[in-house]
Structure formats: C-alpha cells, structure tokens
C-alpha cells in the first residue's frame, strides 16, 4: 500500500519516520490539504496513494475562535470538504483530536470538550456512512507517553511542528500499526488457561476462597485482565478454555467467586480435564471447523507453551510476562498484535452466540445419520437484498474466508461496488436452522459478460450441510432463465482451500483445463445434473 500523510500542521518528521516502514508519498507540505486532494494534477494525486491519512491539529483549525459556534463552523467546513474528496478506491484515516494547550476562553470551562465532542460526532457520522473511512486514534498514542512528552511549544514556534521527537515517533507507530490492519487477517480464537492466567494461584490447592481475584493488590490485576478479555470477546473474538483442573472446582468458581467477571457462557468451548493441551486445542478446532492457525494460546506455564509451539506450530503462543504487573499491558498487546481490526461489524459481535449454537449442532449430528441430521436441522436459506450493511458483510467475508473459497479474491467494499456497476450479479444468502441464525454466510459473484462464477465462498460455520448444492443450483437456474446455455467456473488453489478443490467436479462441471494451481470448468445448463440438498421453503 502507498500511504499519503496530509495535515494542517508540519508533520514532515512523522512522515520521515513512517517512510522507514511503509511506502509513502513524498511530503507535499502542509496546510493545502484540500487543494492536494481536489486537484487531479496535484503531486499527491499523481502519486495515486491507496491510503490517505489526515492528521488534524484542532488547535490550529479553530485558532482564534473563542466561542463554540465559530469553532463548529470551522469543523463543519472541514468535514464538508472531506465529503467532496472521498474516493471509493481509497481508504481514509481521520485522526481524533486533542488540544495541546489552554488557548480558549476561560469563561467556558467545557469549551474544549464540547469542540472535541463535535469533531468526534462528525467523524462518527462519516465512519458510519463510508466503509473506507476509519478512525486514527492518535490520542491513545499520546496518552501513553503523556501530553508533556508529546508536545513542544518550542518546536511549534520554530516550525509549526507541535510534536516532540517522542511524539512524532508514537504517532508514526500508531499510523503504521493502524493502516497495516487493512492487509492483516486477524486471528479468531483466544484460548486461555485458568490457574495463574484468569486468577492467581492454583485452584486445586487453594480452593475457591484462596485464589487471587478481587479489587485489591494482585487480585485486581486478574480482574482487570478478565475485563480486557471480555472486551476482546465483544469485538467478535471466540473465547475458549483449556485447563488441567477438576471441572467441578471450576464450576464452583463460576458459581461463588464474586469477582469472576468471565462467565461460562462467555466461552464457546471449555476443555477442563487432564488431557494434553495440544489435543484439546485440536478438538476445539474440529468443533469450530477452524484451522489452528486462527488460534492464540495464553498460558502462564512455560512447559505448556513450549508443548503447543512444538506440536501445533501454527498456533500463536505469546510469551507470558515475567512480572504480573505487566499482565494488563501484555493482554493489550495480544489484542493489538493478533485480533485488532479496522472496524467491528454487527456480524462480528454475535460470533460467540453463533459458534455456541454450532456446538449444539455438532453434538446433535453425532446421534443420527448424516441425511437424517440435515433433515432435522430445518435449514432455511434466504437470498438477501444488497443494502449497504449486506455489501459490507460481503466485503468482510472476501477479506477473511479461506477454506470454502474457490478463488480467494480479496474484494474490498469499493471493489464490490464497482463489480455491481459493471453488471456482475451477486448472490448472497442468509442461513438459519432450528438452533439459530447464522446470518449472511454464503456469497457467489458471477461475471455476466463471461458467464463465469468469479467468486464463491461460504463461512466455515455452514460447511458440510450441502448448502453449496442449493446455491449453485439457484445460480444455474437463474442464468438459464436469462438465456445462457453455458456457465463457467474456476478453482484457484491456495494453502487453505483444499476442502473445495473438487467441488465443481462433484457438481457435474466439465474440466476445460487443469494445472497444479488452477482448474477451469464449464457446464451445459440444459443438461445439468440433479443436486441433493435439504432446505425448507
């Protein structure tokens, strides 16, 4: 990705630091933000950046305005200008803001806070309206080192540079870390030990009343970490427990320990036994239908961590902090390094519920034949209308679906908008059964000009239920009704999509050409075979 940094103050030092780690557009000076973005022949637009970072100094923007109405007008004008320059194929990061010094009227003690809140509200509106506008949390970076260490009055008066060297450094790091999320696939599962991980001490030795988990001293550290883990879960991350313990003892903690912030229903899978932890993690992966490379494992015991590293090298195993007071900072870094994403969707927030429902399905499937099981699910599939929320979800699926993904094309929301304008057909489906609603979990994109299935993917949560047969059958019937006689498709091999390597072969498609990396298919729509699926309605 090529990154451009624009600002109303001198941010060249930040840009120089950023350019050491990322491909950056050379400095275009400062102050002329909108001229650079609006002029198609500007040096910025000739460089054609993929990402535009707008770092705004609120104090400079509202300079001289000692009343709220004037400040609001300046902010309104800034955001109206932003609305005119946003392009679908670029991502934009807009910084949050803070005042460097006490420059406003003493007559209004809350003037600064009100101005910052107005800025934040305007930014939130744009983030909700545009999937390619994101928040750059500069304030978090500055708070880590403190305002006194981040800002320099001397540098401001010398060259309109508000930041110290340390301030420039943490801001550049925050930009790099945040922008890099666009190209990162976050992990999906956080697996946790219990003793000395969710509480202090060994439960089997100390009992429920003896473990350290409270509002005081070391106990408060574990409480804080549990709160952090709960917040991680709320972003859509799946929680699981793998612990060598007696399950009845742990149940007593859940029932009686008043500071046990994480409850049993926060965890999709719980393996409390004396089985090797690597075997337990593999069992969880099987239950969730996820690869172990989606897992992060946290355990205070070095031998247990080493066991997982050796037996399951795809699992991320961070080194546990040596000092317990560093535990909350460690957990924050785990989130930032492995789970943080650009934005969290509504679909992400219900992941725990969906995977818990899937565990019930897995248990049910063990009690009857495969066909009887599918019939018993009462599967319902609904083709959905493509509103903004659904298109966002479709883009999200293209960014992270690996196993059931025939071509693994990583379409962004902006790419999908362009496909629709170019006449592609998109088939998107909600799926539910008697245990619950999976949400939008299947997508097929067809190039009408080539009569070719360009992309076909499904969430791993609905694999193995013959839903793909229903969807392909509907796509084929639709194209036959439009007058097409042949439909083409392809499979592009990746390291993770082996489960669908022979999908089109099994659906009766004829191989046109096949190499080690790609197979091209076609089918005569007038002579297509009957497909087996079990769908109500």
């Amino acid at each position: 990705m090529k990154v451009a940094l624009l600002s109303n103050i001198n941010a060249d030092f930040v840009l120089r630091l950023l350019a050491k780690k990322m491909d950056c557009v050379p400095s275009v000076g400062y102050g002329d933000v909108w001229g650079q973005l609006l002029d198609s022949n500007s040096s910025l637009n000739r460089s054609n950046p993929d990402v535009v970072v707008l770092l705004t100094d609120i104090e400079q923007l509202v300079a001289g305005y000692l009343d709220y109405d004037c400040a609001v007008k300046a902010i309104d004008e800034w955001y109206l200008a932003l609305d005119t320059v946003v392009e679908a194929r670029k991502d934009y990061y807009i910084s949050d803001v803070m005042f460097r010094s006490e420059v406003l009227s003493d007559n209004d003690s809350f003037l600064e806070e009100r101005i910052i809140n107005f800025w934040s509200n305007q930014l939130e509106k744009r983030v909700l309206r545009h999937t390619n506008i994101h928040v750059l949390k500069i304030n978090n970076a500055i708070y880590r080192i403190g305002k006194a260490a981040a800002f320099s009055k001397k540098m401001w008066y010398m060259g309109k540079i508000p930041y110290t060297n340390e301030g420039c450094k943490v801001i550049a790091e925050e930009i790099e870390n945040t922008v890099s999320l666009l190209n990162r696939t976050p992990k999906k599962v956080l697996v946790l030990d219990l003793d000395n991980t969710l509480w202090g001490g060994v439960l089997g030795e100390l009992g429920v009343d003896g473990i350290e988990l409270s509002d005081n001293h070391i106990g408060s550290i574990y409480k804080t970490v549990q709160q952090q883990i709960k917040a991680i879960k709320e972003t859509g991350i799946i929680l699981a427990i793998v612990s060598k313990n007696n399950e009845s003892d742990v149940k007593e903690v859940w029932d009686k320990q008043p500071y046990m912030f994480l409850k049993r229903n926060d965890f999709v899978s719980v393996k409390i036994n004396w089985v090797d932890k690597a075997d337990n993690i593999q069992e969880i992966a099987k239950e969730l239908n996820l690869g172990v490379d989606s897992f992060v494992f946290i355990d205070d015991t070095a031998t247990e961590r080493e066991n997982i590293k050796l037996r399951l090298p795809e699992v991320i195993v961070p080194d546990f902090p040596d000092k317990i007071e560093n535990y909350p900072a460690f957990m924050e870094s785990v989130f930032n390094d492995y789970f943080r994403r650009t934005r969290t969707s509504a679909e992400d927030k219900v992941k725990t519920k969906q995977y818990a429902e899937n565990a019930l399905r897995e248990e049910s499937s063990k009690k009857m034949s495969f066909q009887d099981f599918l019939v018993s699910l009462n599967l319902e599939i609904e083709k959905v209308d493509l509103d903004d929320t659904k298109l966002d979800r479709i883009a999200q699926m293209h960014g992270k679906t690996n196993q059931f993904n025939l071509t693994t094309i990583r379409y962004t929301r902006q790419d999908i908008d362009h496909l629709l304008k170019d006449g592609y057909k998109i088939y998107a489906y909600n799926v539910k059964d008697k245990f619950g609603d999976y949400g939008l979990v299947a997508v097929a994109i067809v190039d009408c000009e080539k009569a070719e299935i360009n992309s076909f993917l499904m969430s791993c949560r609905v694999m193995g239920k013959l839903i793909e047969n229903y969807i392909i059958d509907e796509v084929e019937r639709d194209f036959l009704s439009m007058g097409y006689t042949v439909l083409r498709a392809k499979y592009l091999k990746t390291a993770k999509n082996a489960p669908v390597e022979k999908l089109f072969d099994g659906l009766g498609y004829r191989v046109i050409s096949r190499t080690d990396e790609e197979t091209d298919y076609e089918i005569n729509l007038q002579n297509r075979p009957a497909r087996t699926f079990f769908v109500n309605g």
Side-chain angles (χ1 to χ4, degrees):
M1 293 182 297
K2 183 178 288 186
V3 180
L5 175 62
L6 296 174
S7 182
N8 64 337
I9 45 88
N10 188 343
D12 281 358
F13 286 171
V14 175
L15 181 62
R16 290 175 197 173
L17 292 170
L18 191 63
K20 294 179 180 180
K21 300 290 185 66
M22 309 189 82
D23 181 13
C24 293
V25 174
S27 173
V28 295
Y30 65 94
D32 186 28
V33 173
W34 309 122
Q36 284 290 326
L37 288 170
L38 285 168
D39 182 1
S40 60
N41 198 40
S42 68
S43 58
L44 176 83
N45 282 319
R46 289 198 304 272
S47 298
N48 193 28
D50 304 292
V51 179
V52 176
V53 177
L54 296 173
L55 177 62
T56 300
D57 183 89
I58 192 68
E59 201 163 307
Q60 178 73 356
L61 182 64
V62 303
Y65 299 147
L66 301 183
D67 69 83
Y68 180 72
D69 291 337
C70 290
V72 161
K73 182 179 179 182
I75 294 171
D76 263 335
E77 289 174 353
W78 194 95
Y79 275 102
L80 288 173
L82 173 68
D83 293 337
T84 65
V85 302
V86 172
E87 296 180 33
R89 287 188 174 273
K90 287 183 173 64
D91 280 277
Y92 297 82
Y93 282 87
I94 315 299
S95 68
D96 52 15
V97 294
M98 70 166 63
F99 283 91
R100 294 176 270 118
S101 55
E102 303 294 332
V103 298
L104 300 181
S105 173
D106 290 334
N107 296 327
D108 185 347
S109 300
F110 298 100
L111 182 56
E112 291 183 10
E113 288 80 0
R114 291 166 63 210
I115 291 173
I116 290 172
N117 287 340
F118 185 78
W119 174 276
S120 300
N121 290 337
Q122 293 302 307
L123 177 52
E124 181 181 11
K125 289 178 182 178
R126 270 66 182 186
V127 169
L128 293 173
R129 191 184 305 160
H130 301 277
T131 59
N132 60 330
I133 292 182
H134 318 287
V135 180
L136 178 66
K137 296 185 177 180
I138 295 299
N139 290 356
N140 286 353
I142 292 174
Y143 287 142
R144 283 197 297 272
I145 62 172
K147 289 177 68 172
F151 295 118
S152 168
K153 290 183 179 180
K154 178 181 176 180
M155 294 299 293
W156 175 250
Y157 292 121
M158 288 180 62
K160 296 298 182 185
I161 304 168
Y163 311 115
T164 62
N165 290 338
E166 185 66 15
C168 290
K169 180 182 176 182
V170 296
I171 290 171
E173 289 174 349
E174 185 64 24
I175 294 172
E176 178 199 353
N177 293 337
T178 304
V179 172
S180 67
L181 298 178
L182 290 171
N183 281 342
R184 189 179 80 180
T185 302
K187 301 301 179 182
K188 297 178 180 179
V189 184
L190 178 59
V191 181
L192 298 149
D193 179 38
L194 291 176
D195 291 335
N196 291 309
T197 303
L198 291 190
W199 54 69
V202 178
L203 177 61
E205 297 174 359
L206 301 173
V208 66
D209 295 324
I211 59 175
E212 293 181 291
L213 184 60
S214 66
D215 272 332
N216 301 305
H217 308 298
I218 291 176
S220 66
I221 295 175
Y222 288 101
K223 180 186 174 185
T224 295
V225 168
Q226 287 204 26
Q227 291 170 328
Q228 289 175 301
I229 294 170
K230 180 82 168 185
I232 291 173
K233 176 212 163 191
E234 295 305 317
T235 69
I237 303 308
I238 302 160
L239 301 184
I241 287 174
V242 170
S243 174
K244 291 180 178 178
N245 248 307
N246 292 322
E247 192 167 6
S248 58
D249 293 342
V250 177
K251 183 178 183 301
E252 189 177 7
V253 174
W254 272 316
D255 290 342
K256 297 181 179 180
Q257 224 292 344
Y259 296 96
M260 189 67 188
F261 196 79
L262 291 167
K263 305 301 183 184
R264 171 60 184 86
N265 59 9
D266 287 313
F267 299 91
V268 168
S269 183
V270 172
K271 304 294 181 187
I272 301 172
N273 51 42
W274 302 98
V275 176
D276 184 87
K277 291 190 177 184
D279 293 334
N280 275 328
I281 289 176
Q282 288 177 306
E283 183 66 23
I284 293 171
K286 182 179 177 182
E287 291 173 1
L288 300 178
N289 200 16
L290 292 172
V292 293
D293 59 346
S294 298
F295 285 56
V296 176
F297 175 65
I298 306 296
D299 195 308
D300 69 293
T301 305
T303 54
E304 295 290 3
R305 297 198 301 272
E306 187 65 17
N307 175 43
I308 302 304
K309 289 178 182 178
L310 292 174
R311 290 195 57 199
L312 301 174
E314 302 95 337
V315 176
I316 297 293
V317 186
D319 291 331
F320 201 81
D322 293 330
K323 297 180 179 179
I324 195 62
E325 60 265 29
N326 295 330
Y327 196 8
F330 163 79
M331 191 56 66
E332 182 180 349
S333 69
V334 166
F335 172 73
N336 286 327
D337 292 345
Y338 306 114
F339 297 111
R340 184 181 172 192
R341 64 191 82 193
T342 302
R343 61 173 68 207
T344 301
S345 70
E347 181 79 14
D348 294 325
K349 293 178 180 179
V350 296
K351 278 290 192 298
T352 295
K353 178 175 180 290
Q354 291 173 335
Y355 276 96
E357 290 167 350
N358 204 49
L360 293 175
R361 297 180 185 101
E362 289 293 325
E363 186 63 28
S364 177
S365 70
K366 298 174 184 177
K367 301 174 182 177
M368 58 184 75
S369 71
F370 176 63
Q371 179 170 325
D372 289 343
F373 166 64
L374 291 182
V375 171
S376 74
L377 286 178
N378 297 324
L379 279 165
E380 296 181 19
I381 303 178
E382 176 191 13
K383 185 181 176 186
V384 301
D385 295 329
L386 300 178
D387 59 23
D388 282 342
T389 301
K390 300 300 190 301
L391 292 174
D392 287 346
R393 168 62 178 160
I394 290 168
Q396 182 192 50
M397 289 185 66
H398 276 85
K400 67 180 184 179
T401 305
N402 294 306
Q403 291 177 293
F404 196 111
N405 194 334
L406 274 297
T407 54
T408 318
I409 302 172
R410 301 303 189 189
Y411 284 133
T412 66
R413 168 60 194 276
Q414 291 70 45
D415 294 330
I416 290 169
D417 289 341
H418 280 278
L419 291 178
L420 288 171
K421 290 178 182 177
D422 291 341
Y424 283 63
K425 291 205 71 172
I426 297 181
Y427 300 80
Y429 296 87
N430 279 340
V431 178
K432 61 182 178 180
D433 61 22
K434 68 179 182 180
F435 292 105
D437 192 340
Y438 295 94
L440 198 166
V441 287
V443 180
I445 299 178
V446 186
D447 182 340
C448 294
E449 184 176 340
K450 294 181 179 179
E452 179 179 270
I453 299 173
N454 171 274
S455 174
F456 182 30
L457 51 86
M458 293 199 314
S459 166
C460 58
R461 289 180 284 122
V462 292
M463 286 175 63
K465 296 177 175 60
L466 302 183
I467 290 169
E468 61 272 22
N469 292 9
Y470 176 89
I471 292 172
I472 289 296
D473 202 63
E474 181 163 286
V475 171
E476 291 171 350
R477 282 189 281 109
D478 192 28
F479 269 72
L480 184 62
S481 71
M482 292 189 290
Y484 292 85
T485 57
V486 172
L487 186 64
R488 297 178 178 85
K490 67 173 53 184
Y491 166 76
L492 299 179
K493 185 177 181 179
T494 71
K496 297 183 179 180
N497 69 353
V500 293
E501 183 174 5
K502 298 295 183 180
L503 176 74
F504 286 116
D505 300 79
L507 290 169
Y509 280 65
R510 182 175 70 87
V511 175
I512 301 173
S513 64
R514 176 169 277 160
T515 66
D516 289 341
E517 303 300 325
E518 178 177 341
T519 307
D520 293 293
Y521 298 91
E522 70 175 20
I523 192 168
N524 186 320
L525 294 175
Q526 295 172 321
N527 297 307
R528 58 198 182 88
R531 307 272 163 60
T532 300
F533 46 81
F534 302 91
V535 176
N536 293 333

